[in-house]
Amino acid sequence: MIAPKKRLEIRKPIKRLTSIYLGILIWVIFFGTWQLASSLGWVNALLVPGPIDVIEALRELIFERGFVSDIFDSIWRVVISFLLASAVAIPLGILMGSFHGLESFFNPFVSAWRYLPAPSFIPVLLMWFGTGETPKLALLFIGVVFFLITMVMDYTKKIRVELLETAETLGANRNQLVRTVIIPAVLPDIFIAMRQMLAVTWTYLVIAEIVASTTGIGAMMMRARRFLHTDEIMAGIMIIGVLGLLFDLFFRYLHRKLFAYLY
Amino acid sequence: MTAIAKDDHILRVEGLQKIFNQHLAEPVEAVQDVSFQVRSNELTVLLGPSGCGKSTVLRVIAGLELPSSGKIIHGDQVVNGPARSRGMVFQSYTSFEWLTVAKNIEYGMKLHAVEPVIRKERVEHYLELVGLADFRNAYPKQLSGGMKQRVAIARTLANEPELLLMDEPFGALDAETRWNMQELLISLAQSTQTTIILVTHDLSEALFLGDRIIFFSKRPATIISDMPVAFKNKKRFARKEDILSEAKYKDAEQELMRLMRSQSNI
């Protein structure tokens, strides 16, 4: 046996299990430090309750105070507004990425709207739509749709021209080109764009619910603030994190299922 | 489209000139004044130094570019855009990665609503011809470069074009695969009787594949020489090594090499 020379560790692959342990370890350190800071009194326990207190608050919220219906309100808002935004952005983005005329017409408008911060519309949305579901859905929609259009357009424009030319020399007409080449070619990338924008939708959700809502995760957090229930606020943050992660995993799973030919 | 009187040429390139207008730069003349005719079943090679404009000639024939002056007449029609009758195989891989090998080959026929029974038959036929029968349900991602080019060729042939246009189709392949694909192309040309125009800058590829070689100058492309590959006596060789034993092969290669050097930009 040759004793291997000690090599530089740069980009050296590690075992999968090691990689998983390392991923868990950082969370253990995070929660451990947090708990220590709280129980050893390094921080004011009223303002920074430890993770155990937060989880206890979460348990109480869920099992004793009907927090589940708030969670479902929030999920519903995200899903509905995101579906609406996708229903507009995906077809429009594909068309803008396919036809220069449509791009020239819509893009100056879409680009400008991307730079208008969606939350700045909250006052007018409240004036126009009152305090029901509509202003919340509208805020999420405005916050996401213009970014999604641009992303879908950019991905559509990145389809290799040889694919389009091949289809043309096989005799495809314009409709067939869009239907049988452009759409299937860009679909996996659209899923990636959706995955990214879904995370943004969650951000706007909390803003919408904090500003103008009596239900939902954000509203619960605002109520808790009034009574200095920091543990409940943190429980809300934790739930949003978990939901975000679950949605992300769901999209990744869907990507692997729908576009298995890429893996 | 204008109707033109027929002769025995399937394709006529007449006084072709192509100028590209560029954004923020002077227009570039890629093709100056090119005329030639192609007969049915002929395998014509367009040869010339890199960047000379030979690919542009092919793209104009395909209808992917329009001539700045002159015209292309295919059959009795002036070419004014891409059409099913002029299939194109590119150097870069163009398999549709969301379709299986069989579905890729079926693609063109489906566009034209060819009957399912006939479609299936032809898919099988071409899978067999290009040696991908065992990979009919594989996705392009799982295939090697050579196999992807086989898919592209089978897909184009299954669509039954009158002209098969190939733009350096084996340029991205390693030497052994390229050699293999060249032999496959010869056998396909024989069995399908398709008229082929192939662009390359590889001299040995030109000599092995071409019934005739058109040699282009450096940019802007003009024709420097247009000759049948004389030493082959109108035969095609099935195996690449057999061509090496031809007495005149070396002379022909030497001649092409001299031409290439005279047009080199380097």
Side-chain angles (χ1 to χ4, degrees), chain A residues 160 162-172 176-177 180-182 184-185 261-263, chain B residues 59 64 82-84 86-88 90 92-94 96-98 107 111-112 139 141 155-156 159:
Chain A
R160 284 169 46 228
E162 291 94 336
L163 292 186
L164 304 176
E165 289 183 340
T166 297
E168 265 194 286
T169 62
L170 289 169
Q176 289 171 324
L177 208 57
T180 65
V181 183
I182 292 180
Y261 57 82
L262 289 175
Y263 292 93
Chain B
R59 288 176 59 81
L64 293 169
R84 175 191 186 181
R86 293 181 301 278
M88 179 105 159
F90 294 83
S92 62
Y93 305 132
T94 55
F96 298 133
E97 55 181 359
W98 55 92
Y107 176 84
L111 291 179
H112 304 101
Y139 283 96
K141 192 106 187 167
R155 180 177 56 188
T156 311
N159 205 28

mmCIF file of all heavy atoms in Angstrom, chain A residues 160 162-172 176-177 180-182 184-185 261-263, chain B residues 59 64 82-84 86-88 90 92-94 96-98 107 111-112 139 141 155-156 159:
data_model
loop_
_atom_site.group_PDB
_atom_site.id
_atom_site.type_symbol
_atom_site.label_atom_id
_atom_site.label_comp_id
_atom_site.label_asym_id
_atom_site.label_seq_id
_atom_site.Cartn_x
_atom_site.Cartn_y
_atom_site.Cartn_z
ATOM 1 N N ARG A 160 -32.322 27.839 -27.658
ATOM 2 C CA ARG A 160 -31.331 27.879 -28.732
ATOM 3 C C ARG A 160 -32.002 27.995 -30.096
ATOM 4 O O ARG A 160 -32.943 27.280 -30.411
ATOM 5 C CB ARG A 160 -30.453 26.633 -28.680
ATOM 6 C CG ARG A 160 -29.426 26.713 -27.565
ATOM 7 C CD ARG A 160 -28.755 25.380 -27.341
ATOM 8 N NE ARG A 160 -28.374 24.790 -28.613
ATOM 9 C CZ ARG A 160 -28.634 23.542 -28.951
ATOM 10 N NH1 ARG A 160 -29.284 22.744 -28.152
ATOM 11 N NH2 ARG A 160 -28.238 23.068 -30.110
ATOM 12 N N GLU A 162 -31.048 27.099 -32.934
ATOM 13 C CA GLU A 162 -30.989 25.898 -33.775
ATOM 14 C C GLU A 162 -32.208 25.002 -33.580
ATOM 15 O O GLU A 162 -32.633 24.325 -34.516
ATOM 16 C CB GLU A 162 -29.741 25.057 -33.473
ATOM 17 C CG GLU A 162 -28.438 25.690 -33.906
ATOM 18 C CD GLU A 162 -27.802 26.474 -32.780
ATOM 19 O OE1 GLU A 162 -28.531 26.905 -31.848
ATOM 20 O OE2 GLU A 162 -26.574 26.652 -32.820
ATOM 21 N N LEU A 163 -32.753 24.983 -32.365
ATOM 22 C CA LEU A 163 -33.942 24.158 -32.132
ATOM 23 C C LEU A 163 -35.111 24.688 -32.952
ATOM 24 O O LEU A 163 -35.867 23.931 -33.556
ATOM 25 C CB LEU A 163 -34.319 24.152 -30.647
ATOM 26 C CG LEU A 163 -33.383 23.452 -29.685
ATOM 27 C CD1 LEU A 163 -34.006 23.417 -28.290
ATOM 28 C CD2 LEU A 163 -33.079 22.038 -30.134
ATOM 29 N N LEU A 164 -35.238 26.009 -32.969
ATOM 30 C CA LEU A 164 -36.330 26.628 -33.714
ATOM 31 C C LEU A 164 -36.119 26.429 -35.215
ATOM 32 O O LEU A 164 -37.048 26.125 -35.955
ATOM 33 C CB LEU A 164 -36.412 28.124 -33.383
ATOM 34 C CG LEU A 164 -36.555 28.444 -31.900
ATOM 35 C CD1 LEU A 164 -36.517 29.946 -31.660
ATOM 36 C CD2 LEU A 164 -37.867 27.873 -31.364
ATOM 37 N N GLU A 165 -34.860 26.586 -35.637
ATOM 38 C CA GLU A 165 -34.578 26.444 -37.072
ATOM 39 C C GLU A 165 -34.759 25.003 -37.532
ATOM 40 O O GLU A 165 -35.221 24.747 -38.638
ATOM 41 C CB GLU A 165 -33.150 26.932 -37.371
ATOM 42 C CG GLU A 165 -33.052 28.448 -37.236
ATOM 43 C CD GLU A 165 -31.682 29.006 -37.579
ATOM 44 O OE1 GLU A 165 -30.692 28.234 -37.566
ATOM 45 O OE2 GLU A 165 -31.593 30.201 -37.855
ATOM 46 N N THR A 166 -34.385 24.067 -36.666
ATOM 47 C CA THR A 166 -34.603 22.664 -37.007
ATOM 48 C C THR A 166 -36.084 22.407 -37.242
ATOM 49 O O THR A 166 -36.478 21.820 -38.254
ATOM 50 C CB THR A 166 -34.097 21.747 -35.870
ATOM 51 O OG1 THR A 166 -32.702 21.929 -35.719
ATOM 52 C CG2 THR A 166 -34.374 20.289 -36.182
ATOM 53 N N ALA A 167 -36.912 22.877 -36.312
ATOM 54 C CA ALA A 167 -38.354 22.661 -36.452
ATOM 55 C C ALA A 167 -38.874 23.335 -37.726
ATOM 56 O O ALA A 167 -39.710 22.775 -38.438
ATOM 57 C CB ALA A 167 -39.088 23.194 -35.225
ATOM 58 N N GLU A 168 -38.339 24.510 -38.023
ATOM 59 C CA GLU A 168 -38.776 25.203 -39.238
ATOM 60 C C GLU A 168 -38.434 24.414 -40.490
ATOM 61 O O GLU A 168 -39.239 24.333 -41.413
ATOM 62 C CB GLU A 168 -38.108 26.574 -39.311
ATOM 63 C CG GLU A 168 -38.965 27.700 -38.751
ATOM 64 C CD GLU A 168 -38.401 29.056 -39.148
ATOM 65 O OE1 GLU A 168 -37.371 29.430 -38.560
ATOM 66 O OE2 GLU A 168 -38.968 29.702 -40.038
ATOM 67 N N THR A 169 -37.208 23.853 -40.517
ATOM 68 C CA THR A 169 -36.844 23.093 -41.714
ATOM 69 C C THR A 169 -37.534 21.725 -41.743
ATOM 70 O O THR A 169 -37.494 21.030 -42.742
ATOM 71 C CB THR A 169 -35.315 22.881 -41.842
ATOM 72 O OG1 THR A 169 -34.867 22.134 -40.719
ATOM 73 C CG2 THR A 169 -34.580 24.207 -41.897
ATOM 74 N N LEU A 170 -38.153 21.351 -40.641
ATOM 75 C CA LEU A 170 -38.991 20.143 -40.674
ATOM 76 C C LEU A 170 -40.413 20.518 -41.077
ATOM 77 O O LEU A 170 -41.278 19.662 -41.185
ATOM 78 C CB LEU A 170 -38.988 19.445 -39.304
ATOM 79 C CG LEU A 170 -37.679 18.760 -38.913
ATOM 80 C CD1 LEU A 170 -37.704 18.351 -37.448
ATOM 81 C CD2 LEU A 170 -37.416 17.551 -39.786
ATOM 82 N N GLY A 171 -40.649 21.805 -41.263
ATOM 83 C CA GLY A 171 -41.934 22.246 -41.791
ATOM 84 C C GLY A 171 -42.904 22.787 -40.758
ATOM 85 O O GLY A 171 -44.099 22.895 -41.042
ATOM 86 N N ALA A 172 -42.416 23.133 -39.570
ATOM 87 C CA ALA A 172 -43.338 23.630 -38.546
ATOM 88 C C ALA A 172 -43.827 25.037 -38.894
ATOM 89 O O ALA A 172 -43.042 25.871 -39.341
ATOM 90 C CB ALA A 172 -42.646 23.663 -37.185
ATOM 91 N N GLN A 176 -47.217 25.736 -34.535
ATOM 92 C CA GLN A 176 -46.549 24.483 -34.166
ATOM 93 C C GLN A 176 -45.217 24.765 -33.480
ATOM 94 O O GLN A 176 -44.831 24.061 -32.555
ATOM 95 C CB GLN A 176 -46.335 23.622 -35.425
ATOM 96 C CG GLN A 176 -47.629 23.037 -35.961
ATOM 97 C CD GLN A 176 -47.444 22.365 -37.311
ATOM 98 O OE1 GLN A 176 -46.658 22.826 -38.142
ATOM 99 N NE2 GLN A 176 -48.173 21.292 -37.542
ATOM 100 N N LEU A 177 -44.547 25.809 -33.945
ATOM 101 C CA LEU A 177 -43.260 26.171 -33.344
ATOM 102 C C LEU A 177 -43.447 26.533 -31.868
ATOM 103 O O LEU A 177 -42.696 26.092 -31.004
ATOM 104 C CB LEU A 177 -42.672 27.360 -34.105
ATOM 105 C CG LEU A 177 -41.166 27.494 -34.127
ATOM 106 C CD1 LEU A 177 -40.535 26.248 -34.708
ATOM 107 C CD2 LEU A 177 -40.756 28.707 -34.939
ATOM 108 N N THR A 180 -44.961 23.121 -30.039
ATOM 109 C CA THR A 180 -44.180 21.879 -29.963
ATOM 110 C C THR A 180 -42.703 22.101 -29.658
ATOM 111 O O THR A 180 -41.998 21.146 -29.381
ATOM 112 C CB THR A 180 -44.285 21.068 -31.274
ATOM 113 O OG1 THR A 180 -43.674 21.824 -32.328
ATOM 114 C CG2 THR A 180 -45.731 20.780 -31.633
ATOM 115 N N VAL A 181 -42.227 23.347 -29.729
ATOM 116 C CA VAL A 181 -40.813 23.572 -29.386
ATOM 117 C C VAL A 181 -40.670 24.580 -28.238
ATOM 118 O O VAL A 181 -40.108 24.258 -27.194
ATOM 119 C CB VAL A 181 -39.989 24.057 -30.611
ATOM 120 C CG1 VAL A 181 -38.525 24.203 -30.212
ATOM 121 C CG2 VAL A 181 -40.121 23.073 -31.761
ATOM 122 N N ILE A 182 -41.199 25.774 -28.432
ATOM 123 C CA ILE A 182 -40.945 26.826 -27.445
ATOM 124 C C ILE A 182 -41.508 26.451 -26.076
ATOM 125 O O ILE A 182 -40.788 26.495 -25.068
ATOM 126 C CB ILE A 182 -41.530 28.166 -27.945
ATOM 127 C CG1 ILE A 182 -40.732 28.633 -29.171
ATOM 128 C CG2 ILE A 182 -41.477 29.220 -26.841
ATOM 129 C CD1 ILE A 182 -41.193 29.928 -29.771
ATOM 130 N N PRO A 184 -42.534 23.415 -24.693
ATOM 131 C CA PRO A 184 -41.853 22.335 -23.969
ATOM 132 C C PRO A 184 -40.402 22.658 -23.616
ATOM 133 O O PRO A 184 -39.897 22.199 -22.593
ATOM 134 C CB PRO A 184 -41.942 21.131 -24.923
ATOM 135 C CG PRO A 184 -42.392 21.659 -26.223
ATOM 136 C CD PRO A 184 -43.076 22.966 -25.992
ATOM 137 N N ALA A 185 -39.733 23.468 -24.448
ATOM 138 C CA ALA A 185 -38.327 23.777 -24.156
ATOM 139 C C ALA A 185 -38.195 24.685 -22.938
ATOM 140 O O ALA A 185 -37.254 24.571 -22.174
ATOM 141 C CB ALA A 185 -37.668 24.426 -25.378
ATOM 142 N N TYR A 261 -36.766 13.733 -17.761
ATOM 143 C CA TYR A 261 -35.803 13.569 -18.853
ATOM 144 C C TYR A 261 -34.571 14.456 -18.702
ATOM 145 O O TYR A 261 -33.584 14.292 -19.405
ATOM 146 C CB TYR A 261 -36.473 13.850 -20.203
ATOM 147 C CG TYR A 261 -37.116 15.213 -20.316
ATOM 148 C CD1 TYR A 261 -36.362 16.334 -20.624
ATOM 149 C CD2 TYR A 261 -38.490 15.374 -20.114
ATOM 150 C CE1 TYR A 261 -36.934 17.579 -20.720
ATOM 151 C CE2 TYR A 261 -39.077 16.624 -20.211
ATOM 152 C CZ TYR A 261 -38.292 17.719 -20.513
ATOM 153 O OH TYR A 261 -38.874 18.952 -20.610
ATOM 154 N N LEU A 262 -34.636 15.426 -17.774
ATOM 155 C CA LEU A 262 -33.486 16.308 -17.572
ATOM 156 C C LEU A 262 -32.499 15.745 -16.562
ATOM 157 O O LEU A 262 -31.391 16.230 -16.437
ATOM 158 C CB LEU A 262 -33.957 17.673 -17.071
ATOM 159 C CG LEU A 262 -34.688 18.555 -18.067
ATOM 160 C CD1 LEU A 262 -35.201 19.811 -17.385
ATOM 161 C CD2 LEU A 262 -33.779 18.922 -19.218
ATOM 162 N N TYR A 263 -32.941 14.759 -15.796
ATOM 163 C CA TYR A 263 -32.094 14.278 -14.701
ATOM 164 C C TYR A 263 -31.335 13.007 -15.065
ATOM 165 O O TYR A 263 -31.690 12.334 -15.985
ATOM 166 C CB TYR A 263 -32.951 14.034 -13.452
ATOM 167 C CG TYR A 263 -33.484 15.327 -12.876
ATOM 168 C CD1 TYR A 263 -34.733 15.802 -13.246
ATOM 169 C CD2 TYR A 263 -32.724 16.082 -11.999
ATOM 170 C CE1 TYR A 263 -35.224 16.986 -12.744
ATOM 171 C CE2 TYR A 263 -33.207 17.273 -11.492
ATOM 172 C CZ TYR A 263 -34.456 17.715 -11.859
ATOM 173 O OH TYR A 263 -34.931 18.889 -11.350
ATOM 174 N N ARG B 59 -27.346 27.922 -45.514
ATOM 175 C CA ARG B 59 -28.506 28.486 -44.817
ATOM 176 C C ARG B 59 -29.445 29.210 -45.780
ATOM 177 O O ARG B 59 -30.656 29.194 -45.590
ATOM 178 C CB ARG B 59 -28.050 29.443 -43.704
ATOM 179 C CG ARG B 59 -27.425 28.705 -42.513
ATOM 180 C CD ARG B 59 -26.895 29.681 -41.465
ATOM 181 N NE ARG B 59 -27.953 30.547 -40.956
ATOM 182 C CZ ARG B 59 -28.831 30.188 -40.011
ATOM 183 N NH1 ARG B 59 -28.752 29.004 -39.471
ATOM 184 N NH2 ARG B 59 -29.751 31.028 -39.620
ATOM 185 N N LEU B 64 -33.293 29.674 -44.488
ATOM 186 C CA LEU B 64 -33.165 30.305 -43.167
ATOM 187 C C LEU B 64 -32.645 31.727 -43.284
ATOM 188 O O LEU B 64 -32.803 32.531 -42.374
ATOM 189 C CB LEU B 64 -32.241 29.471 -42.274
ATOM 190 C CG LEU B 64 -32.795 28.090 -41.897
ATOM 191 C CD1 LEU B 64 -31.721 27.241 -41.237
ATOM 192 C CD2 LEU B 64 -34.004 28.221 -40.976
ATOM 193 N N PRO B 82 -37.877 28.607 -45.115
ATOM 194 C CA PRO B 82 -37.663 27.191 -44.832
ATOM 195 C C PRO B 82 -38.869 26.345 -45.230
ATOM 196 O O PRO B 82 -39.997 26.838 -45.222
ATOM 197 C CB PRO B 82 -37.475 27.132 -43.318
ATOM 198 C CG PRO B 82 -37.512 28.530 -42.822
ATOM 199 C CD PRO B 82 -37.984 29.420 -43.912
ATOM 200 N N ALA B 83 -38.613 25.102 -45.586
ATOM 201 C CA ALA B 83 -39.711 24.201 -45.937
ATOM 202 C C ALA B 83 -39.313 22.774 -45.614
ATOM 203 O O ALA B 83 -38.134 22.444 -45.517
ATOM 204 C CB ALA B 83 -40.045 24.328 -47.415
ATOM 205 N N ARG B 84 -40.333 21.979 -45.446
ATOM 206 C CA ARG B 84 -40.151 20.567 -45.141
ATOM 207 C C ARG B 84 -39.299 19.851 -46.195
ATOM 208 O O ARG B 84 -38.615 18.881 -45.895
ATOM 209 C CB ARG B 84 -41.553 19.965 -45.103
ATOM 210 C CG ARG B 84 -41.580 18.510 -44.913
ATOM 211 C CD ARG B 84 -42.989 18.017 -45.170
ATOM 212 N NE ARG B 84 -43.046 16.598 -44.840
ATOM 213 C CZ ARG B 84 -44.127 15.864 -44.971
ATOM 214 N NH1 ARG B 84 -45.242 16.415 -45.405
ATOM 215 N NH2 ARG B 84 -44.107 14.593 -44.665
ATOM 216 N N ARG B 86 -36.690 20.755 -47.563
ATOM 217 C CA ARG B 86 -35.250 20.974 -47.382
ATOM 218 C C ARG B 86 -34.899 20.835 -45.906
ATOM 219 O O ARG B 86 -34.906 21.806 -45.159
ATOM 220 C CB ARG B 86 -34.839 22.355 -47.903
ATOM 221 C CG ARG B 86 -34.952 22.518 -49.412
ATOM 222 C CD ARG B 86 -34.511 23.903 -49.849
ATOM 223 N NE ARG B 86 -35.327 24.926 -49.215
ATOM 224 C CZ ARG B 86 -36.524 25.310 -49.629
ATOM 225 N NH1 ARG B 86 -37.044 24.751 -50.711
ATOM 226 N NH2 ARG B 86 -37.206 26.219 -48.984
ATOM 227 N N GLY B 87 -34.614 19.620 -45.506
ATOM 228 C CA GLY B 87 -34.325 19.352 -44.091
ATOM 229 C C GLY B 87 -32.886 19.721 -43.769
ATOM 230 O O GLY B 87 -32.008 19.629 -44.606
ATOM 231 N N MET B 88 -32.665 20.165 -42.534
ATOM 232 C CA MET B 88 -31.333 20.632 -42.168
ATOM 233 C C MET B 88 -30.845 19.925 -40.906
ATOM 234 O O MET B 88 -31.585 19.784 -39.934
ATOM 235 C CB MET B 88 -31.406 22.142 -41.923
ATOM 236 C CG MET B 88 -30.110 22.771 -41.516
ATOM 237 S SD MET B 88 -29.379 23.695 -42.880
ATOM 238 C CE MET B 88 -28.293 24.798 -42.020
ATOM 239 N N PHE B 90 -27.793 20.295 -38.094
ATOM 240 C CA PHE B 90 -26.819 21.286 -37.632
ATOM 241 C C PHE B 90 -25.634 20.616 -36.950
ATOM 242 O O PHE B 90 -25.693 19.450 -36.568
ATOM 243 C CB PHE B 90 -27.484 22.246 -36.638
ATOM 244 C CG PHE B 90 -28.548 23.105 -37.250
ATOM 245 C CD1 PHE B 90 -29.841 22.629 -37.410
ATOM 246 C CD2 PHE B 90 -28.271 24.392 -37.667
ATOM 247 C CE1 PHE B 90 -30.830 23.415 -37.971
ATOM 248 C CE2 PHE B 90 -29.250 25.194 -38.228
ATOM 249 C CZ PHE B 90 -30.535 24.710 -38.382
ATOM 250 N N SER B 92 -24.453 21.687 -33.979
ATOM 251 C CA SER B 92 -24.810 21.558 -32.561
ATOM 252 C C SER B 92 -25.995 20.593 -32.442
ATOM 253 O O SER B 92 -26.763 20.426 -33.374
ATOM 254 C CB SER B 92 -25.166 22.924 -31.997
ATOM 255 O OG SER B 92 -26.293 23.440 -32.670
ATOM 256 N N TYR B 93 -26.100 19.992 -31.267
ATOM 257 C CA TYR B 93 -27.133 18.975 -31.089
ATOM 258 C C TYR B 93 -28.511 19.617 -31.024
ATOM 259 O O TYR B 93 -28.712 20.591 -30.300
ATOM 260 C CB TYR B 93 -26.871 18.174 -29.815
ATOM 261 C CG TYR B 93 -25.494 17.566 -29.809
ATOM 262 C CD1 TYR B 93 -24.666 17.690 -28.705
ATOM 263 C CD2 TYR B 93 -25.014 16.894 -30.935
ATOM 264 C CE1 TYR B 93 -23.388 17.150 -28.715
ATOM 265 C CE2 TYR B 93 -23.744 16.361 -30.954
ATOM 266 C CZ TYR B 93 -22.925 16.491 -29.844
ATOM 267 O OH TYR B 93 -21.674 15.970 -29.861
ATOM 268 N N THR B 94 -29.429 19.080 -31.774
ATOM 269 C CA THR B 94 -30.757 19.688 -31.839
ATOM 270 C C THR B 94 -31.860 18.707 -31.466
ATOM 271 O O THR B 94 -33.025 18.956 -31.758
ATOM 272 C CB THR B 94 -31.046 20.215 -33.260
ATOM 273 O OG1 THR B 94 -30.853 19.138 -34.171
ATOM 274 C CG2 THR B 94 -30.140 21.367 -33.621
ATOM 275 N N PHE B 96 -34.737 17.189 -29.502
ATOM 276 C CA PHE B 96 -35.668 17.774 -28.534
ATOM 277 C C PHE B 96 -35.593 16.930 -27.270
ATOM 278 O O PHE B 96 -36.005 15.780 -27.265
ATOM 279 C CB PHE B 96 -37.086 17.792 -29.111
ATOM 280 C CG PHE B 96 -37.193 18.637 -30.360
ATOM 281 C CD1 PHE B 96 -37.849 18.162 -31.483
ATOM 282 C CD2 PHE B 96 -36.652 19.913 -30.402
ATOM 283 C CE1 PHE B 96 -37.944 18.947 -32.630
ATOM 284 C CE2 PHE B 96 -36.740 20.703 -31.541
ATOM 285 C CZ PHE B 96 -37.394 20.211 -32.660
ATOM 286 N N GLU B 97 -35.059 17.520 -26.209
ATOM 287 C CA GLU B 97 -34.702 16.687 -25.059
ATOM 288 C C GLU B 97 -35.907 16.216 -24.259
ATOM 289 O O GLU B 97 -35.780 15.329 -23.432
ATOM 290 C CB GLU B 97 -33.683 17.385 -24.154
ATOM 291 C CG GLU B 97 -34.097 18.743 -23.670
ATOM 292 C CD GLU B 97 -33.005 19.376 -22.805
ATOM 293 O OE1 GLU B 97 -31.952 18.731 -22.588
ATOM 294 O OE2 GLU B 97 -33.211 20.491 -22.344
ATOM 295 N N TRP B 98 -37.088 16.804 -24.532
ATOM 296 C CA TRP B 98 -38.299 16.364 -23.842
ATOM 297 C C TRP B 98 -38.984 15.211 -24.571
ATOM 298 O O TRP B 98 -40.010 14.722 -24.125
ATOM 299 C CB TRP B 98 -39.270 17.533 -23.676
ATOM 300 C CG TRP B 98 -39.612 18.205 -24.977
ATOM 301 C CD1 TRP B 98 -40.665 17.906 -25.795
ATOM 302 C CD2 TRP B 98 -38.908 19.271 -25.606
ATOM 303 N NE1 TRP B 98 -40.639 18.724 -26.895
ATOM 304 C CE2 TRP B 98 -39.577 19.574 -26.808
ATOM 305 C CE3 TRP B 98 -37.757 19.995 -25.269
ATOM 306 C CZ2 TRP B 98 -39.143 20.582 -27.679
ATOM 307 C CZ3 TRP B 98 -37.332 20.981 -26.146
ATOM 308 C CH2 TRP B 98 -38.016 21.274 -27.328
ATOM 309 N N TYR B 107 -41.288 13.368 -34.976
ATOM 310 C CA TYR B 107 -41.719 14.762 -34.835
ATOM 311 C C TYR B 107 -42.210 15.423 -36.135
ATOM 312 O O TYR B 107 -43.308 15.953 -36.197
ATOM 313 C CB TYR B 107 -40.582 15.584 -34.210
ATOM 314 C CG TYR B 107 -40.887 17.055 -34.116
ATOM 315 C CD1 TYR B 107 -41.607 17.565 -33.049
ATOM 316 C CD2 TYR B 107 -40.485 17.934 -35.120
ATOM 317 C CE1 TYR B 107 -41.897 18.917 -32.972
ATOM 318 C CE2 TYR B 107 -40.777 19.286 -35.049
ATOM 319 C CZ TYR B 107 -41.487 19.770 -33.969
ATOM 320 O OH TYR B 107 -41.785 21.101 -33.901
ATOM 321 N N LEU B 111 -46.054 16.783 -37.401
ATOM 322 C CA LEU B 111 -46.408 18.144 -37.817
ATOM 323 C C LEU B 111 -47.294 18.120 -39.045
ATOM 324 O O LEU B 111 -48.158 18.976 -39.222
ATOM 325 C CB LEU B 111 -45.136 18.938 -38.160
ATOM 326 C CG LEU B 111 -44.180 19.329 -37.052
ATOM 327 C CD1 LEU B 111 -43.006 20.085 -37.649
ATOM 328 C CD2 LEU B 111 -44.869 20.174 -36.002
ATOM 329 N N HIS B 112 -47.062 17.153 -39.904
ATOM 330 C CA HIS B 112 -47.797 17.115 -41.161
ATOM 331 C C HIS B 112 -48.898 16.073 -41.145
ATOM 332 O O HIS B 112 -49.378 15.656 -42.188
ATOM 333 C CB HIS B 112 -46.837 16.871 -42.307
ATOM 334 C CG HIS B 112 -45.752 17.902 -42.339
ATOM 335 N ND1 HIS B 112 -44.493 17.662 -41.855
ATOM 336 C CD2 HIS B 112 -45.776 19.201 -42.717
ATOM 337 C CE1 HIS B 112 -43.774 18.776 -41.970
ATOM 338 N NE2 HIS B 112 -44.523 19.719 -42.474
ATOM 339 N N TYR B 139 -34.068 9.079 -23.624
ATOM 340 C CA TYR B 139 -34.133 10.522 -23.846
ATOM 341 C C TYR B 139 -32.743 11.016 -24.278
ATOM 342 O O TYR B 139 -31.737 10.432 -23.890
ATOM 343 C CB TYR B 139 -34.585 11.232 -22.564
ATOM 344 C CG TYR B 139 -36.069 11.112 -22.331
ATOM 345 C CD1 TYR B 139 -36.591 10.134 -21.498
ATOM 346 C CD2 TYR B 139 -36.953 11.967 -22.999
ATOM 347 C CE1 TYR B 139 -37.964 10.016 -21.311
ATOM 348 C CE2 TYR B 139 -38.321 11.856 -22.811
ATOM 349 C CZ TYR B 139 -38.822 10.880 -21.962
ATOM 350 O OH TYR B 139 -40.170 10.767 -21.789
ATOM 351 N N LYS B 141 -30.730 13.200 -23.376
ATOM 352 C CA LYS B 141 -29.757 13.401 -22.305
ATOM 353 C C LYS B 141 -28.897 12.161 -22.071
ATOM 354 O O LYS B 141 -27.752 12.260 -21.658
ATOM 355 C CB LYS B 141 -30.526 13.722 -21.019
ATOM 356 C CG LYS B 141 -29.666 14.229 -19.909
ATOM 357 C CD LYS B 141 -29.863 15.707 -19.718
ATOM 358 C CE LYS B 141 -28.878 16.254 -18.725
ATOM 359 N NZ LYS B 141 -28.851 17.710 -18.761
ATOM 360 N N ARG B 155 -34.419 11.882 -37.861
ATOM 361 C CA ARG B 155 -35.596 12.740 -37.781
ATOM 362 C C ARG B 155 -35.809 13.488 -39.096
ATOM 363 O O ARG B 155 -36.931 13.608 -39.580
ATOM 364 C CB ARG B 155 -35.399 13.744 -36.637
ATOM 365 C CG ARG B 155 -36.541 14.711 -36.438
ATOM 366 C CD ARG B 155 -36.304 15.602 -35.246
ATOM 367 N NE ARG B 155 -35.038 16.328 -35.370
ATOM 368 C CZ ARG B 155 -34.508 17.068 -34.405
ATOM 369 N NH1 ARG B 155 -35.124 17.172 -33.247
ATOM 370 N NH2 ARG B 155 -33.363 17.682 -34.577
ATOM 371 N N THR B 156 -34.703 13.960 -39.676
ATOM 372 C CA THR B 156 -34.817 14.704 -40.929
ATOM 373 C C THR B 156 -35.203 13.769 -42.075
ATOM 374 O O THR B 156 -36.107 14.077 -42.857
ATOM 375 C CB THR B 156 -33.483 15.406 -41.245
ATOM 376 O OG1 THR B 156 -33.069 16.101 -40.069
ATOM 377 C CG2 THR B 156 -33.644 16.401 -42.366
ATOM 378 N N ASN B 159 -38.769 12.548 -42.360
ATOM 379 C CA ASN B 159 -39.685 13.586 -42.841
ATOM 380 C C ASN B 159 -39.680 13.646 -44.371
ATOM 381 O O ASN B 159 -40.377 14.462 -44.960
ATOM 382 C CB ASN B 159 -39.235 14.935 -42.248
ATOM 383 C CG ASN B 159 -40.352 15.933 -42.140
ATOM 384 O OD1 ASN B 159 -41.508 15.569 -42.001
ATOM 385 N ND2 ASN B 159 -40.014 17.207 -42.207
#
